[in-house]
Amino acid sequence: MTASSNASSALSTAQSPTAAAPPMVRIRAARKRFGSLEVLKGVDLDVDAGQTVVVLGPSGSGKSTLLRCVNHLESLDGGSIRVDGELIGFRTRGDRVLALHKREIARQRREIGMVFQQFNLFPHLTVLQNVIEAPVGVRGEPKAEARERAQALLERVGLADKADSYPRRLSGGQQQRVAIARALAMRPKLMLFDEPTSSLDPELVGEVLTTMKDLARDGLTMIVVTHEIGFARQVADRVVFMDGGLVVESGTPEEVIGNPRNPRTRAFLSRVA
């Protein structure tokens, strides 16, 4: 991301006065390219605190790249992303846009939990040790306090009896629920889910989706990239359809899934429904 007029304009838009309750996530004119391939072409998206927003779209539409930019695993080439009012990955000095130091980026990431397609658990650590690793090692929480909260989180995701097990002894669905507990252990203000059920056998998908539904009912702010249309219909406050690096349709599940206006949305849903 450079201090181009395009980026500066997007930042100015993101800083303009808003209503009394600003969104938890505000994305403005987000652009990202890999070499000659432009993956995000100017994405605008707001997510209010406590909302569950489900992002649908075909492979290559930019969904996962957008999520990775929200916690700065990928750096924007233009536009801006703010979480709870804070510009992610960058700071402004006058009309210049400057990259944050790695320490500041790490601090921002502590507030944003992310669950990936792969579970990425430490195989040499027990379930409980996996969950307390970041709170103790990154946040510096006392181990006893972290263990107590980890036990509560494992109970929340239905795995209290697996605290002393190693990941290799768990099913894929159980491992993904441990990954969710691990992300929640950092007390994030925002959770990102990047196709969390795509690598699971069909019979294991339901247990992960049930955990995510419980989180939505508890009011956790979530952005979920998924092809699970039933989950989107039941749980989402808003559904966003992306195609070709752009948001082409957004609305309630009833609007986007039940009565899509855009031909690309209709074609996608006819294939996956």
Side-chain angles (χ1 to χ4, degrees):
M1 181 172 175
T2 63
S4 64
S5 58
N6 186 29
S8 296
S9 174
L11 287 167
S12 298
T13 302
Q15 292 170 328
S16 62
T18 59
M24 174 63 72
V25 181
R26 170 161 286 178
I27 301 172
R28 290 293 180 270
R31 293 183 176 275
K32 177 65 183 178
R33 70 168 57 245
F34 297 99
S36 62
L37 178 63
E38 191 174 23
V39 180
L40 301 178
K41 301 178 181 178
V43 173
D44 292 333
L45 179 64
D46 286 348
V47 181
D48 291 333
Q51 269 194 331
T52 296
V53 172
V54 171
V55 183
L56 303 176
S59 297
S61 60
K63 310 181 301 297
S64 294
T65 298
L66 182 64
L67 279 197
R68 292 175 65 84
C69 288
V70 171
N71 70 351
H72 206 65
L73 290 174
E74 301 288 351
S75 177
L76 286 180
D77 296 316
S80 65
I81 296 175
R82 292 181 180 272
V83 174
D84 202 16
E86 184 175 8
L87 187 63
I88 297 297
F90 302 92
R91 59 187 173 89
T92 58
R93 180 183 294 170
D95 62 352
R96 299 174 64 198
V97 182
L98 306 173
L100 290 181
H101 190 277
K102 288 182 179 180
R103 288 194 301 271
E104 284 298 296
I105 293 172
R107 177 190 60 78
Q108 290 183 333
R109 283 189 186 138
R110 291 201 295 264
E111 307 299 324
I112 305 171
M114 188 160 183
V115 176
F116 300 87
Q117 297 177 28
Q118 301 300 323
F119 324 123
N120 299 322
L121 301 178
F122 295 113
H124 63 289
L125 300 180
T126 66
V127 164
L128 184 67
Q129 289 168 338
N130 266 278
V131 176
I132 71 172
E133 177 76 9
V136 173
V138 177
R139 284 198 180 274
E141 291 185 11
K143 193 172 240 185
E145 178 183 325
R147 286 177 63 89
E148 184 177 350
R149 284 203 311 111
Q151 291 281 12
L153 286 170
L154 289 173
E155 184 170 355
R156 185 178 185 183
V157 301
L159 293 172
D161 60 331
K162 300 295 185 182
D164 297 323
S165 298
Y166 286 88
R168 65 180 179 274
R169 299 294 185 186
L170 305 180
S171 70
Q174 289 171 330
Q175 289 187 58
Q176 191 63 293
R177 284 186 281 154
V178 174
I180 293 172
R182 180 179 59 182
L184 292 173
M186 291 293 283
R187 308 176 195 250
K189 59 182 67 173
L190 168 68
M191 281 285 285
L192 310 175
F193 293 86
D194 186 10
E195 299 193 30
T197 61
S198 64
S199 63
L200 298 178
D201 292 333
E203 64 268 23
L204 301 177
V205 168
E207 62 190 59
V208 174
L209 294 181
T210 296
T211 296
M212 294 169 63
K213 290 175 186 177
D214 290 342
L215 297 177
R217 281 194 291 268
D218 289 345
L220 181 63
T221 308
M222 304 195 300
I223 306 177
V224 182
V225 168
T226 185
H227 290 308
E228 298 291 340
I229 303 301
F231 174 85
R233 193 189 298 272
Q234 295 171 25
V235 180
D237 297 293
R238 190 149 55 93
V239 174
V240 172
F241 179 74
M242 289 185 65
D243 191 32
L246 291 168
V247 172
V248 299
E249 190 160 357
S250 176
T252 66
E254 292 77 14
E255 292 168 338
V256 176
I257 299 174
N259 188 30
R261 300 183 303 275
N262 191 285
R264 286 180 287 179
T265 312
R266 291 197 296 269
F268 172 80
L269 290 171
S270 71
R271 292 193 301 268
V272 302

